[in-house]
Amino acid sequence: MPKSALRQQLNLSEAVEDYLKAIYQLHEAAQRAGETSARVTTTALAGALGVAPGSVTGMIKKLADDGLVNHRPYYGVDLTATGERLALEIVRHHRLLELYLTLVVGFGWDEVHEQADALEHAISEEFEDRIDSILGGPTVDPHGDPIPSKEGLLPEMVALPLSQCAPDAARALVIARVLTQATDLLRYLAGLGLVPGARIVLLGREPFDGPLHVRVVGDDDTPHAISFQVASLLSIAAPDPDTPH
Amino acid sequence: MPKSALRQQLNLSEAVEDYLKAIYQLHEAAQRAGETSARVTTTALAGALGVAPGSVTGMIKKLADDGLVNHRPYYGVDLTATGERLALEIVRHHRLLELYLTLVVGFGWDEVHEQADALEHAISEEFEDRIDSILGGPTVDPHGDPIPSKEGLLPEMVALPLSQCAPDAARALVIARVLTQATDLLRYLAGLGLVPGARIVLLGREPFDGPLHVRVVGDDDTPHAISFQVASLLSIAAPDPDTPH
DNA sequence: AAGCAGATTTTGGCATACCTCAATAGTAAC
DNA sequence: GTTACTATTGAGGTATGCCAAAATCTGCTT
């Protein structure tokens, strides 16, 4: 029995898949934010899913009965090993679809999130395998988010928010990942050339979490000022010592 | 307001979309079979959808309330103009997807039906438009079934079941359409070369609705015997007087 | 250190969309 | 007109959602 067919064996409802994915992603975001106990709260889930908190409690109880989450009442939830496997299968679908929709079907990176949300529940394992091979076994989606492998392993990414980088006019930084799915923001960033893979120089920054001055290498070289909040959504892959400027 | 956005405006449930499509297709099949009053019965719908007859009655009442079908109790249903428009949008999704999955994603014609059933509810109008243009505005799917236009018009097909054709060893017939979605049967037919576009010669036929003897032009020229039932699923486009043999 | 206020979570009652099954109602053909 | 089929009704089930009341937690204030 192939390990990765779990999702189709269990025949989860769309609602269940959405909950698992949301729990996974909130957990991940909390870890990224450096929180010690990466617990996921009822309210956070309700907000992410657009449902009332009461509905979340009900569903969580069901998921706990089914062994997909651990629930500590009045505290939070947590995926079990099985739950995480399933969540990763869904995230894999989502990210493969986002990449497929941009590279093959021709959508912009600001258009694919909603469509992938709808399609991720509908595609077969065979379709997943086909687009994976059409895309050449990709490891990141158009936003730089890592694509879990069929076995449920995430490519490890060491990344630091641009907002925490020190200015260094002599060093190019590579954007690894853009941590938003907001259409408007994605369009704004694409307009500035701030996309995964872009090389930028952090020229300077204003104090008190003020704007950062950046230049996109290979662009028209105009410096741009971006807010601290936006900078905190840009993950920097690693300093690139070979190519100063 | 673009006419064809009806489906997304109304935000139909998957169940409703399935009912509308099934009613449309049963109606179409009845017409093809030459039935005078192309009524669709509760049992036929229940069979097509895999639900109990009682469930069908309930849903039909809802659809009638919503103005999508006309219901004459104890007799049958019938799509209204709106219902038919919606059904055609769904059929368009389905058939475009079947073609896309075969031509672009690389699935066999026997594999695409179930997948298209799942995806047809999930794709956006934009995705529909993209694959339509990637495929060059196709008019038939891999089985030869006509693809409704964006405006809800069906390409007219004049076609006769092979089972009603007279043998004529000097005339090639073109298969226009294969009226089944059964995986096994599709594989059997593909094995014999009996696919849309194939040119065949009807060499003879046994009496009392017995097997038909056919030869596929351009094949290894071996004659094959196919059952009357199978022959009735093959639609012949038109005699082709230019290419005897 | 205790208690209280405010926020969060759970509970319980109810709604909707589907579905099933079994009983009843209608139709149609001999 | 009785029989055999088909359709509808009604009671009841599951999955999911909402709201408002009750329970619990947390952190501030003294």
Side-chain angles (χ1 to χ4, degrees), chain A residues 49-234:
Chain A
L49 293 164
V51 301
S55 310
V56 172
T57 305
M59 178 60 98
I60 279 175
K61 239 184 298 189
K62 204 190 80 140
L63 295 177
D65 284 350
D66 294 352
L68 303 178
V69 302
N70 298 124
H71 184 210
R72 206 176 114 196
Y74 291 102
Y75 180 76
V77 267
D78 199 342
L79 292 172
T80 62
T82 307
E84 185 168 346
R85 265 258 306 292
L86 289 166
L88 284 164
E89 286 186 36
I90 298 153
V91 169
R92 174 171 166 83
H93 281 193
H94 184 92
R95 293 183 180 165
L96 277 174
L97 281 164
E98 284 195 343
L99 193 62
Y100 184 81
L101 290 171
T102 48
L103 292 186
V104 179
V105 187
F107 284 105
W109 79 335
D110 55 310
E111 303 177 286
V112 293
H113 182 66
E114 290 75 16
Q115 299 201 55
D117 268 349
L119 290 169
E120 67 192 10
H121 308 296
I123 68 174
S124 64
E125 297 298 305
E126 291 74 30
F127 188 82
E128 173 197 325
D129 294 344
R130 295 256 178 189
I131 65 179
D132 180 60
S133 88
I134 287 170
L135 295 167
T139 58
V140 293
D141 80 359
H143 311 95
D145 299 329
I147 299 175
S149 73
K150 190 95 180 159
E151 294 74 36
L153 299 174
L154 264 189
E156 203 53 54
M157 303 182 66
V158 228
L160 196 67
L162 177 61
S163 54
Q164 287 174 32
C165 293
D168 182 347
R171 171 153 308 198
L173 308 172
V174 177
I175 298 181
R177 188 171 179 185
V178 176
L179 293 165
T180 182
Q181 293 287 0
T183 305
D184 296 351
L185 188 45
L186 288 171
R187 273 204 279 261
Y188 162 72
L189 291 170
L192 297 181
L194 298 172
V195 299
R199 303 157 55 74
I200 63 173
V201 175
L202 182 54
L203 303 166
R205 42 193 309 168
E206 305 298 332
F208 304 110
D209 293 351
L212 289 77
H213 301 283
V214 301
R215 185 158 55 72
V216 180
V217 176
D219 202 28
D220 62 1
D221 281 352
T222 317
H224 301 290
I226 59 174
S227 76
F228 183 87
Q229 288 78 3
V230 166
S232 68
L233 300 175
L234 302 177

Side-chain angles (χ1 to χ4, degrees), chain B residues 142-160:
Chain B
H143 310 94
D145 300 327
I147 300 175
S149 73
K150 191 93 179 160
E151 294 75 35
L153 299 174
L154 264 188
E156 202 54 51
M157 302 182 68
V158 228
L160 195 69

Side-chain angles (χ1 to χ4, degrees), chain B residues 43-228:
Chain B
T43 330
L45 261 177
L49 293 163
V51 300
S55 312
V56 172
T57 304
M59 178 60 97
I60 278 175
K61 239 185 296 188
K62 204 189 82 141
L63 295 177
D65 284 350
D66 295 351
L68 303 178
V69 303
N70 299 122
H71 184 209
R72 206 177 115 197
Y74 291 102
Y75 180 77
V77 267
D78 198 341
L79 292 172
T80 61
T82 307
E84 185 169 344
R85 266 257 306 293
L86 289 166
L88 284 164
E89 286 186 35
I90 299 153
V91 169
R92 175 172 165 82
H93 281 194
H94 184 92
R95 294 183 179 166
L96 278 175
L97 281 164
E98 284 195 342
L99 192 62
Y100 185 81
L101 290 172
T102 48
L103 292 185
V104 179
V105 186
F107 285 106
W109 79 334
D110 55 312
E111 302 176 287
V112 294
H113 183 67
E114 290 75 16
Q115 299 201 55
D117 268 348
L119 290 169
E120 66 191 10
H121 308 294
I123 68 173
S124 64
E125 297 297 306
E126 291 74 29
F127 189 83
E128 173 197 324
D129 294 344
R130 296 256 179 189
I131 65 179
D132 180 60
S133 87
I134 286 171
L135 295 168
T139 57
V140 293
D141 81 0
H143 310 94
D145 300 327
I147 300 175
S149 73
K150 191 93 179 160
E151 294 75 35
L153 299 174
L154 264 188
E156 202 54 51
M157 302 182 68
V158 228
L160 195 69
L162 177 61
S163 55
Q164 288 175 32
C165 294
D168 181 346
R171 170 153 307 193
L173 307 172
V174 177
I175 298 180
R177 190 173 179 183
V178 176
L179 294 165
T180 182
Q181 293 288 358
T183 304
D184 296 350
L185 188 46
L186 288 171
R187 274 205 278 262
Y188 162 70
L189 290 171
L192 296 182
L194 297 173
V195 299
R199 302 158 55 73
I200 63 174
V201 175
L202 181 54
L203 302 166
R205 43 192 308 168
E206 306 297 333
F208 304 110
D209 293 349
L212 290 77
H213 302 283
V214 301
R215 184 159 56 73
V216 179
V217 176
D219 202 28
D220 64 0
D221 283 351
T222 317
H224 300 290
I226 60 175
S227 76
F228 183 86

